[in-house]
Amino acid sequence: MPARPDRTLRDKVVVIGGASRNLGGLLAREIAPDGAKVVVHYNSDSSRDKAEQTADDVRKAGGEAVTHQGDLTRVAEVEKLFDAAVREFGKVDCVVNTAGMVIKKPMTETTEEEFDKMFAVNTKAAYFMMREAAKRVEDGGKIITIVTSLLAAYTGLYSVYAGSKAPVEHFTRALSKELFGRNVSVNNIAPGPMDTGFFYPAETDDSIAYHKSSAMNGDLTKIEDIVPYVRFLLTDGWWLNGQTLFVNGGYTTR
């Protein structure tokens, strides 16, 4: 039988969008002992210290890391992120985009400015991260975007949030097909409401209790619940392609 392909992260260059904290930060730290080379992206000066701490943690755990600041809603900044990865490590093997923004309010109260900002972060940035990843990743690479389990929900109040995440599913299907022949997989992970600072500002005590009650253990999704699935897609899960995985304890199904 032929030798089993190497599906490890050793010496793989992994660009993580939004890696200063929460899911992106934990993923960076978790893949460090595998010998990954991590590009820790962060958006603004307020995240710089946390991004540098993430990079330090990666190095202490056995990986390599570099930080890079950029506004992913600007295409030139997306290109610069990948330029930095290639300049520092010589290549890009994997891209994981965890960056996103949430808003919860009735459609009748949503402003044009809020609409434009949400689609810039959740749709435009995701699209051009995927576009640039497709240009830069090595054959056999992996491209993963974090979306939301609300894509499978019948609910109000999240129209512009879930609506701005929904196009990413089609982006993923289209790009995965376009990259046939290069052995590059393109997938999404759709977590349930996650127990992070990203979640709570948009919610009330009652809605938090409702979200918790909708999962099998009566709790929110933890970032520690999601990282193993990202790692799987980056390694042994390479045969999954063009898919959205709803990792949410039964919060929604499809």
Side-chain angles (χ1 to χ4, degrees):
M1 295 180 62
R4 184 175 183 275
D6 177 15
R7 304 291 181 195
T8 72
L9 286 169
R10 180 156 300 282
D11 296 325
K12 296 296 195 320
V13 179
V14 183
V15 175
I16 304 178
S20 64
R21 58 171 70 96
N22 295 331
L23 178 59
L26 180 61
L27 175 63
R29 294 190 293 272
E30 289 291 310
I31 65 176
D34 297 335
K37 301 177 180 179
V38 184
V39 180
V40 177
H41 163 266
Y42 64 101
N43 179 68
S44 62
D45 288 338
S46 63
S47 301
R48 184 186 304 273
D49 288 347
K50 290 185 180 296
E52 294 295 347
Q53 183 61 60
T54 297
D56 286 344
D57 291 343
V58 169
R59 297 181 193 109
K60 291 174 183 176
E64 298 181 43
V66 61
T67 61
H68 183 84
Q69 182 178 0
D71 178 354
L72 299 183
T73 68
R74 301 175 65 87
V75 176
E77 293 294 301
V78 175
E79 294 170 347
K80 288 177 182 178
L81 171 61
F82 285 84
D83 288 342
V86 173
R87 182 171 60 250
E88 183 70 22
F89 296 123
K91 61 173 182 170
V92 175
D93 295 292
C94 305
V95 178
V96 182
N97 183 19
T98 74
M101 177 176 288
V102 66
I103 187 173
K104 180 184 180 181
K105 63 192 326 184
M107 185 180 290
T108 54
E109 297 177 11
T110 303
T111 67
E112 180 180 11
E113 181 182 11
E114 289 169 334
F115 180 97
D116 289 344
K117 187 172 185 179
M118 293 294 290
F119 271 82
V121 173
N122 294 331
T123 312
K124 179 182 177 182
Y127 185 92
F128 286 100
M129 278 287 285
M130 293 170 67
R131 187 196 75 165
E132 204 61 25
K135 292 179 178 181
R136 306 291 190 109
V137 294
E138 299 288 303
D139 289 357
K142 317 291 187 298
I143 302 171
I144 301 168
T145 307
I146 303 301
V147 288
T148 172
S149 282
L150 290 174
L151 296 181
Y154 179 43
T155 184
L157 304 181
Y158 298 98
S159 60
V160 74
Y161 172 58
S164 59
K165 289 283 192 178
V168 181
E169 285 203 272
H170 184 71
F171 301 161
T172 295
R173 288 192 292 267
L175 183 59
S176 65
K177 180 72 78 170
E178 291 171 15
L179 294 179
F180 273 23
R182 292 186 52 198
N183 209 28
V184 174
S185 64
V186 188
N187 294 288
N188 303 315
I189 291 181
M194 286 194 288
D195 188 8
T196 70
F198 181 78
F199 167 75
Y200 290 100
E203 302 296 334
T204 65
D205 289 345
D206 287 346
S207 66
I208 292 169
Y210 173 78
H211 286 301
K212 288 182 175 181
S213 72
S214 298
M216 65 181 182
N217 65 344
D219 206 352
L220 300 174
T221 295
K222 302 291 193 294
I223 56 176
E224 293 84 359
D225 300 327
I226 302 301
V227 166
Y229 291 89
V230 180
R231 182 198 290 272
F232 176 67
L233 290 179
L234 293 176
T235 54
D236 288 337
W238 66 279
W239 191 235
L240 275 165
N241 196 22
Q243 308 295 320
T244 298
L245 304 184
F246 286 79
V247 184
N248 60 23
Y251 175 80
T252 57
T253 66
R254 189 174 62 187

